[in-house]
Amino acid sequence: MSSFMPEILAPAGSLDKLKVAVLYGANAVYVGGQKFGLRTAAENFTTDELREGVIFAHARGAKVYVVLNSFLHDKDLTELPEFVEFLDKIKVDAVIVSDLGVVRTVRKHSSIDVHVSTQASTLNVEAAKLWKNMGATRIVLGREVSVKEAGKIKREAGIEIEMFIHGSMCMAYSGNCVISNFTQGRDSNRGGCAHSCRFEYSLDMGLDTKEKRKAYFMSSKDLEGIRVLPEFIKEEIDSLKIEGRMKSHLYAGTMSKVYSEALNYYKDHGDFLSEKLLSWEEELGKVSHRAYTEASLVEPAGADSIFNERENNTDNEWQMVGTVVEANAKSGIIIEVRNAFNQGDYIEVIPFEGAAFALNTQEMMDLSLAPVIRTRPSTLVRLPYQANVTVHNLVRARGTK
Amino acid sequence: MKYVSFATSIHDLGILKEENHDEVILGHRDFSRFGKLDDLQFIELAAQAKKLGMRVVFEWDILMIENVFAHLITCIEKFQGHFDVLRVQDPGALEWSLKNTQVPVQFIAENANRNLEALNGWCEYIGDRLDRLVLSIELSRNTLAEFVSTLKVPCELLGFGRILLFYTPRNLLSGLNGGEKFRFNDEISALGESEESPHKGFPIVENKHGTFMFHIKEFCLLEFRQELANLGLSHFRIDLRWEGLNFIKDLDNLKEIYPQDLMRGFFLVNKTDVLFPKLKNSRLQKREGNYLGEVIEAEKSKHLAILVKHTEGIRPGQNIKILHPKGEEFEVKIHWLKDSSLTEVEHIGQNQLALIPYVGGVWVKSQLFIQ
């Protein structure tokens, strides 16, 4: 049995999501400050929140990586040293960068580890060696690389390797798509991606028929690599990354929990029982997603990796109804409601470990102790106390579609 | 400033010679994104170019996963001696070229590399083997001027040709190609349009290296040639691989006779980041310093529920400012403070739920600050 275990690296679009990801089992999280990252529309972290996030994560044995993976221009670089020095001071574990100018700036102004972003599309041994020579300590490989190739890159380049295991995927080589730049006036490599690859296109393929083919031909299915976990372990891939800083608390928590549980199970048993795999896949299926694919983790992605469907096809999904903001015998369980539910509805709490379980919705009250028949989003609801519920637990219900 | 272009035939070489080009880029179909030449054709064309006194540039611009890379470096040996310069984009190809060849290297820095620190980094790393940097067409004229004047190496820019928008190794068209068999060295092309974009007729090409999409208009800086020369740009690239090299004979009138629409891209100004502040509510981002917390419930005539974020917590008697998501500000004093069990208390700590008196007009997501 291999003693090697990769880290599970989860997305955290906000301080709350960082806490959720760490509490649900992520070994590391990646976050963005207010500048220099690719998720301009995400809430992102203030400097105070970064400091609190690092303290919170480190106290629980988790690492924090900060993304600086925008293609920075000179005017951006002038502001970077001060931020990098701050990150060094608060003991951020690494920064994720995609540009040589940023690598050099970080090296000059800090001793923080440098991870080369997937935006740099590092795909082979020699490229990894080059980035290592530049001072990188880890490579986040392009999503076109197989796990087997990744193992070879790690061994021959002698550098830590990180790979995506789950989430949405660019169809293009990352960093090699500028559709938004030229059609929407938004720099996709500085956080302005307009997701033009998800549009439906009419294609004139020069065939005899005048009819154009309509297809979502540039849209990729979402990556799911749970069945490839043994390969990741065998090849000793250092870090398994979950995409999605823009995604929900439910996503951050569920992904962190499922993948960390799967790894821990493997650590204890040395294999994956098919029954367990099915249950993990079922959990992954409960979170909003496109159809899943293993993309290029085993073989180069084929035609079946294209998501030729309209977005928001969310059959069989569960939705997050809220987060537990307080839970004690005196106050009961107080949930910050995100999606409405009714008295008597089946809702369940996802504990940090173990199987989800039902909450009692027969006796719902508002904060002023008045009975509630139907909750409303952006309100608080009070449920009877259950001992195994705790703050930051996520609460979900089956979607109504 | 010199012109540089591509050739795929002896005829093309003749045209370039007539136009006084002293260098030609040759694309082998295994190494170049849009290369057409097989082994023999490459070697013959390279020999002919040398006879005509032209420097031969071997274009190796595909991006390569390890398996492809490992195969290609076993193939490139047969071309050694037939070219004078290697032209690469994949950092792996760059690294390999520096260690395993002696020829000068042209580095395609069209992706990323929007700052001098990066470009200087490549210059230092490649050292005296660096023949030229190929810069991005997304650089505006002011940035180009700064870069070209600062960098100590020759710089090249696309001056005329297709704008590549998208490059994937996946085969996106062949599955839609009416069931026609896709042969390995073939190319499939299509024109795409989307109801969600005002642009119609994106050229799309699928070949053995994947699928590529181009802008509906081609890039043209012909009218800025003198300005670019004055800046110190060393090479102006003309890419006529789709419409034919004959057009190169009449550059002064090319804009008028060329069959495709043309654009200057971001040459005059690049404002592709100006929309970013509008992508989120900046009023919700001011969570620094005296930030106290966020309203997570506003129950009319009863209370505001706050998730306390300040390290020192919240106390009754404090004067606070409430910033509404729409910008309106409210200044109030906290007359009473209750915990979630509705007990009046003197202090509630960080990350706890606190209730304070309701303030008319305040919504959920309003931000609180200590005054």
Side-chain angles (χ1 to χ4, degrees), chain A residues 139-165:
Chain A
I139 306 291
V140 189
L141 292 175
R143 278 171 265 210
E144 295 76 18
V145 178
S146 70
V147 180
K148 198 170 179 185
E149 289 172 311
K152 181 183 175 192
I153 293 170
K154 176 177 175 171
R155 288 187 297 276
E156 296 191 11
I159 191 165
E160 283 186 16
I161 293 296
E162 178 177 311
M163 294 184 79
F164 279 90
I165 191 170

Side-chain angles (χ1 to χ4, degrees), chain A residues 43-44 47 49 72 108 124-125 133 149 152 171 175 178 181 202 204 213 305 326 331 380 382, chain B residues 64 66-67 111 115 117 125 138 165 167-168 170 176 191 193 272 276 280 285 287-288 297 340:
Chain A
E43 189 176 325
N44 290 322
T47 51
E49 288 166 342
L72 299 187
K108 275 182 201 165
N124 49 64
V125 171
N133 292 341
E149 289 172 311
K152 181 183 175 192
M171 180 61 89
V178 290
N181 307 39
S202 299
D204 178 353
R213 295 189 182 279
S305 67
E326 270 202 31
S331 301
L380 300 170
R382 194 190 297 267
Chain B
M64 295 153 286
E66 178 55 28
N67 287 348
N111 277 74
N115 56 77
E117 186 69 24
Y125 193 74
E138 290 185 61
L165 298 181
Y167 170 20
T168 178
R170 297 198 221 182
L176 304 166
L191 292 175
E193 63 185 56
T272 51
F276 293 169
K280 61 185 173 189
Q285 304 300 317
R287 307 183 301 273
E288 298 275 17
E297 179 179 79
S340 58

Side-chain angles (χ1 to χ4, degrees), chain B residues 304-322:
Chain B
L304 298 177
I306 298 155
L307 203 53
V308 179
K309 297 293 184 182
H310 199 280
T311 52
E312 294 178 12
I314 184 171
R315 295 180 185 282
Q318 279 180 312
N319 291 311
I320 60 169
K321 183 174 82 176
I322 305 176

Side-chain angles (χ1 to χ4, degrees), chain A residues 16 19 34 40-49 52 71-75 77 98-101 104-105 108 121 123-127 129-131 133-134 144-145 149 152-153 169-173 175-179 181-187 190-192 199-205 207 212-215 217-218 220 300-301 305-306 325-326 328 330-331 334 336 366-369 376 378-380 382, chain B residues 33 63-70 89-92 94-96 99 111-118 120-122 124-125 137-138 146-147 163-173 176-178 180 188-197 199 202 204 213 215 263 265-266 270-273 275-276 279-280 285 287-289 296-297 299 302-303 305 307 309 339-343 350-353 355 364:
Chain A
D16 275 351
K19 292 177 179 176
Q34 294 296 318
T40 305
E43 189 176 325
N44 290 322
F45 286 62
T46 64
T47 51
D48 286 346
E49 288 166 342
E52 185 183 339
F71 287 176
L72 299 187
H73 291 223
D74 277 325
K75 65 179 181 192
L77 276 191
S98 58
D99 180 278
L100 180 55
R104 285 160 60 94
T105 304
K108 275 182 201 165
S121 276
L123 306 169
N124 49 64
V125 171
E126 293 297 318
K129 286 180 180 172
L130 180 144
W131 285 114
N133 292 341
M134 297 292 190
E144 295 76 18
V145 178
E149 289 172 311
K152 181 183 175 192
I153 293 170
M169 299 178 70
C170 286
M171 180 61 89
Y173 282 117
N176 284 266
C177 176
V178 290
I179 301 175
N181 307 39
F182 282 92
T183 63
Q184 315 260 346
R186 290 163 49 171
D187 191 336
R190 281 197 285 170
F199 296 171
E200 184 183 41
Y201 287 83
S202 299
L203 296 167
D204 178 353
M205 303 190 68
L207 303 175
K212 292 179 180 174
R213 295 189 182 279
K214 286 195 164 188
F217 79 111
M218 297 167 77
S220 178
S305 67
I306 299 170
V325 293
E326 270 202 31
N328 56 60
K330 193 174 171 191
S331 301
I334 298 176
E336 184 183 3
D366 67 15
L367 274 201
S368 306
L369 306 178
R376 287 174 292 128
S378 300
T379 62
L380 300 170
R382 194 190 297 267
Chain B
R33 294 175 188 187
L63 303 179
M64 295 153 286
I65 57 171
E66 178 55 28
N67 287 348
V68 175
F69 187 87
Q89 175 168 340
D90 190 315
L94 172 63
E95 182 73 6
W96 186 89
K99 286 191 295 202
N111 277 74
N113 300 300
R114 301 291 191 267
N115 56 77
L116 269 173
E117 186 69 24
N120 277 322
W122 292 117
E124 285 174 25
Y125 193 74
I137 59 167
E138 290 185 61
E146 187 194 353
F147 284 10
I163 299 169
L164 181 61
L165 298 181
F166 173 91
Y167 170 20
T168 178
R170 297 198 221 182
N171 299 323
L172 304 185
L173 293 180
L176 304 166
N177 194 26
E180 284 183 25
I188 301 173
S189 59
L191 292 175
E193 63 185 56
S194 170
E195 288 178 3
E196 297 180 70
S197 167
H199 307 278
F202 293 102
I204 303 160
M213 185 164 98
H215 200 280
M263 68 186 297
F266 303 113
N270 185 335
K271 291 185 174 176
T272 51
D273 61 346
L275 287 173
F276 293 169
L279 294 179
K280 61 185 173 189
Q285 304 300 317
R287 307 183 301 273
E288 298 275 17
I296 59 172
E297 179 179 79
E299 196 62 36
K302 293 180 179 171
H303 61 253
L307 203 53
K309 297 293 184 182
D339 66 15
S340 58
S341 68
L342 306 181
T343 306
Q350 188 181 25
N351 294 320
Q352 304 291 309
L353 190 61
L355 305 187
V364 167

Side-chain angles (χ1 to χ4, degrees), chain B residues 82-340:
Chain B
H82 295 283
F83 59 84
D84 303 295
V85 185
L86 267 168
R87 183 181 179 92
V88 299
Q89 175 168 340
D90 190 315
L94 172 63
E95 182 73 6
W96 186 89
S97 302
L98 293 176
K99 286 191 295 202
N100 295 281
T101 73
Q102 301 299 320
V103 295
V105 173
Q106 294 176 1
F107 183 61
I108 302 170
E110 291 178 313
N111 277 74
N113 300 300
R114 301 291 191 267
N115 56 77
L116 269 173
E117 186 69 24
L119 294 167
N120 277 322
W122 292 117
C123 292
E124 285 174 25
Y125 193 74
I126 304 170
D128 57 12
R129 294 278 302 280
L130 182 59
D131 184 69
R132 188 184 304 162
L133 281 176
V134 181
L135 301 178
S136 166
I137 59 167
E138 290 185 61
L139 301 177
S140 66
R141 69 193 333 168
N142 291 339
T143 308
L144 266 173
E146 187 194 353
F147 284 10
V148 171
S149 64
T150 308
L151 293 165
K152 305 294 182 208
V153 295
C155 294
E156 174 191 311
L157 187 71
L158 175 67
F160 193 94
R162 278 189 174 182
I163 299 169
L164 181 61
L165 298 181
F166 173 91
Y167 170 20
T168 178
R170 297 198 221 182
N171 299 323
L172 304 185
L173 293 180
S174 46
L176 304 166
N177 194 26
E180 284 183 25
K181 186 116 176 170
F182 174 56
R183 286 176 302 165
F184 197 55
N185 288 318
D186 275 355
E187 184 176 282
I188 301 173
S189 59
L191 292 175
E193 63 185 56
S194 170
E195 288 178 3
E196 297 180 70
S197 167
H199 307 278
K200 309 290 179 199
F202 293 102
I204 303 160
V205 172
E206 179 187 317
N207 62 25
K208 67 187 291 185
H209 301 302
T211 308
F212 304 83
M213 185 164 98
F214 301 90
H215 200 280
I216 56 168
K217 295 181 181 178
E218 295 197 16
F219 191 63
C220 173
L221 293 183
L222 287 171
E223 68 266 47
F224 299 104
R225 279 177 287 170
Q226 191 56 52
E227 178 180 339
L228 290 166
N230 293 343
L231 292 180
L233 190 76
S234 71
H235 287 81
F236 185 95
R237 186 170 78 256
I238 298 172
D239 185 355
L240 290 164
R241 284 178 288 181
W242 282 271
E243 295 297 339
L245 198 55
N246 281 323
F247 283 108
I248 208 169
K249 295 174 182 172
D250 193 4
L251 286 185
D252 290 336
N253 295 308
L254 185 52
K255 280 184 74 172
E256 285 69 44
I257 60 175
Y258 200 66
Q260 305 296 341
D261 289 337
L262 301 170
M263 68 186 297
R264 294 179 295 218
F266 303 113
F267 182 70
L268 297 183
V269 63
N270 185 335
K271 291 185 174 176
T272 51
D273 61 346
V274 294
L275 287 173
F276 293 169
K278 296 178 183 172
L279 294 179
K280 61 185 173 189
N281 186 342
S282 60
R283 285 183 284 272
L284 300 180
Q285 304 300 317
K286 296 174 180 168
R287 307 183 301 273
E288 298 275 17
N290 56 352
Y291 177 60
L292 177 60
E294 179 180 310
V295 175
I296 59 172
E297 179 179 79
E299 196 62 36
K300 195 172 181 182
S301 306
K302 293 180 179 171
H303 61 253
L304 298 177
I306 298 155
L307 203 53
V308 179
K309 297 293 184 182
H310 199 280
T311 52
E312 294 178 12
I314 184 171
R315 295 180 185 282
Q318 279 180 312
N319 291 311
I320 60 169
K321 183 174 82 176
I322 305 176
L323 179 59
H324 190 283
K326 288 192 170 180
E328 197 176 351
E329 293 183 4
F330 304 82
E331 292 185 3
V332 295
K333 184 171 186 174
I334 300 173
H335 290 296
W336 52 257
L337 182 68
K338 294 179 182 174
D339 66 15
S340 58

Side-chain angles (χ1 to χ4, degrees), chain A residues 111-378:
Chain A
S111 56
I112 307 176
D113 278 357
V114 175
H115 297 177
V116 174
S117 166
T118 195
Q119 282 289 102
S121 276
T122 307
L123 306 169
N124 49 64
V125 171
E126 293 297 318
K129 286 180 180 172
L130 180 144
W131 285 114
K132 185 181 176 186
N133 292 341
M134 297 292 190
T137 54
R138 177 186 288 187
I139 306 291
V140 189
L141 292 175
R143 278 171 265 210
E144 295 76 18
V145 178
S146 70
V147 180
K148 198 170 179 185
E149 289 172 311
K152 181 183 175 192
I153 293 170
K154 176 177 175 171
R155 288 187 297 276
E156 296 191 11
I159 191 165
E160 283 186 16
I161 293 296
E162 178 177 311
M163 294 184 79
F164 279 90
I165 191 170
H166 197 100
S168 300
M169 299 178 70
C170 286
M171 180 61 89
Y173 282 117
S174 289
N176 284 266
C177 176
V178 290
I179 301 175
S180 300
N181 307 39
F182 282 92
T183 63
Q184 315 260 346
R186 290 163 49 171
D187 191 336
S188 54
N189 294 307
R190 281 197 285 170
C193 176
H195 303 284
S196 308
C197 57
R198 304 295 181 187
F199 296 171
E200 184 183 41
Y201 287 83
S202 299
L203 296 167
D204 178 353
M205 303 190 68
L207 303 175
D208 291 341
T209 170
K210 285 185 177 174
E211 190 182 331
K212 292 179 180 174
R213 295 189 182 279
K214 286 195 164 188
Y216 298 87
F217 79 111
M218 297 167 77
S219 179
S220 178
K221 289 180 181 174
D222 286 356
L223 179 66
E224 185 198 74
I226 190 121
R227 285 181 177 268
V228 193
L229 268 177
E231 293 302 311
F232 284 113
I233 295 165
K234 181 182 162 197
E235 298 293 343
E236 301 201 347
I237 305 306
D238 299 280
S239 180
L240 306 181
K241 184 173 212 161
I242 297 158
E243 177 277 344
R245 279 194 293 133
M246 295 289 285
K247 292 182 177 166
S248 67
H249 292 68
L250 181 62
Y251 176 91
T254 304
M255 297 302 144
S256 300
K257 181 177 183 190
V258 169
Y259 281 102
S260 60
E261 271 187 10
L263 273 186
N264 286 334
Y265 185 90
Y266 192 88
K267 195 175 178 181
D268 292 341
H269 297 85
D271 61 12
F272 290 120
L273 291 177
S274 55
E275 186 187 328
K276 294 296 291 182
L277 261 179
L278 288 172
S279 73
W280 291 321
E281 283 177 331
E282 190 183 339
E283 285 298 295
L284 296 176
K286 288 177 180 174
V287 180
S288 178
H289 65 280
R290 303 177 187 91
Y292 283 134
T293 173
E294 288 179 359
S296 299
L297 291 177
V298 179
E299 295 286 339
D304 60 356
S305 67
I306 299 170
F307 184 62
N308 191 7
E309 292 176 35
R310 186 175 293 282
E311 292 285 281
N312 302 320
N313 182 358
T314 53
D315 294 344
N316 194 35
E317 278 170 12
W318 290 55
Q319 62 183 6
M320 178 167 157
V321 298
T323 313
V324 176
V325 293
E326 270 202 31
N328 56 60
K330 193 174 171 191
S331 301
I333 298 168
I334 298 176
I335 297 171
E336 184 183 3
V337 178
R338 302 287 172 90
N339 286 292
F341 57 96
N342 297 312
Q343 184 183 36
D345 277 358
Y346 179 82
I347 65 172
E348 59 184 29
V349 67
I350 309 171
F352 299 140
E353 291 180 1
F357 55 87
L359 284 179
N360 177 2
T361 58
Q362 295 298 336
E363 301 167 43
M364 304 199 300
M365 290 183 285
D366 67 15
L367 274 201
S368 306
L369 306 178
V372 171
I373 304 299
R374 178 174 172 76
T375 63
R376 287 174 292 128
S378 300

